[in-house]
Amino acid sequence: SAFSRAGTTYSGVAPRANIIAYKACPTEQCDGSALVASINQAVADGVDVINYSIGSGPSDPWAAVGGAINDDGEAFLAAREAGIVVAAAAGNDGPNPGTHGNPANAPWVISVAAATHNRVGAGDRLAAFSGRGPVVPLGVIKPDVTAPGVSIIAAGITAADSTSTSTLSGTSMATPHVAGAAALIRSVNP
């Protein structure tokens, strides 16, 4: 839902969407088994869309497919098979070619790059930090879509102020725009 601060109302792309958060990163490090468990729980809970802003450097998304699911990219294949839309951040290792991160480089997820917007200068420009294809080692063109990811006003909750905001940049700021759009589409066409 929307909230107001200092006379300004803030809202996400899909303000009436239900948000379910899965804690897979209790510290600065994200344990792979906890990530897979969170994705599997989202599938079991029957969510419609997953927004994923965790990743690593370029790697072959097919390397982990087969056998027990022990990789977030493979867990997203199971999510896709369950009809869930997955939007994943392309990573912030640009501007060189081949810097598109994993698991967003998997062909079964929507990978999201970050772009500028006209609130802070020239709009619709790929951010210099945004990960780029081709996907290593497949040569597939990714990311799939670009969304605003530079100087995004986001929740910045602190203990003293539950309605504070922060201005942040990254593909993790762009990905929720795409996940929100997917939620809106799913709401009218399940």
Side-chain angles (χ1 to χ4, degrees), residues 60-80:
D60 184 351
W62 294 100
V65 174
I69 296 177
N70 59 10
D71 176 80
D72 53 357
E74 187 175 15
F76 286 136
L77 179 58
R80 169 78 181 250

Side-chain angles (χ1 to χ4, degrees), residues 57-177:
S59 63
D60 184 351
W62 294 100
V65 174
I69 296 177
N70 59 10
D71 176 80
D72 53 357
E74 187 175 15
F76 286 136
L77 179 58
R80 169 78 181 250
E81 290 170 350
I84 298 169
V85 176
V86 178
N92 301 325
D93 295 327
N96 294 326
T99 55
H100 193 290
N102 179 56
N105 62 350
W108 47 86
V109 303
I110 300 171
S111 65
V112 185
T116 60
H117 51 86
N118 60 8
R119 186 172 49 79
V120 289
D124 299 328
R125 305 282 192 273
L126 187 63
F129 59 78
S130 193
R132 292 159 167 73
V135 169
V136 177
L138 306 173
V140 175
I141 296 176
K142 285 257 188 175
D144 298 305
V145 66
T146 302
V150 176
S151 297
I152 302 300
I153 298 171
I157 296 173
T158 65
D161 184 357
S162 63
T163 61
S164 65
T165 60
S166 297
T167 302
L168 303 170
S169 296
T171 56
S172 293
M173 296 292 102
T175 304
H177 288 89

Side-chain angles (χ1 to χ4, degrees), residues 1-21:
S1 66
F3 74 94
S4 295
R5 179 172 180 81
T8 302
T9 300
Y10 297 94
S11 171
V13 173
R16 293 194 172 131
N18 293 321
I19 297 175
I20 303 172

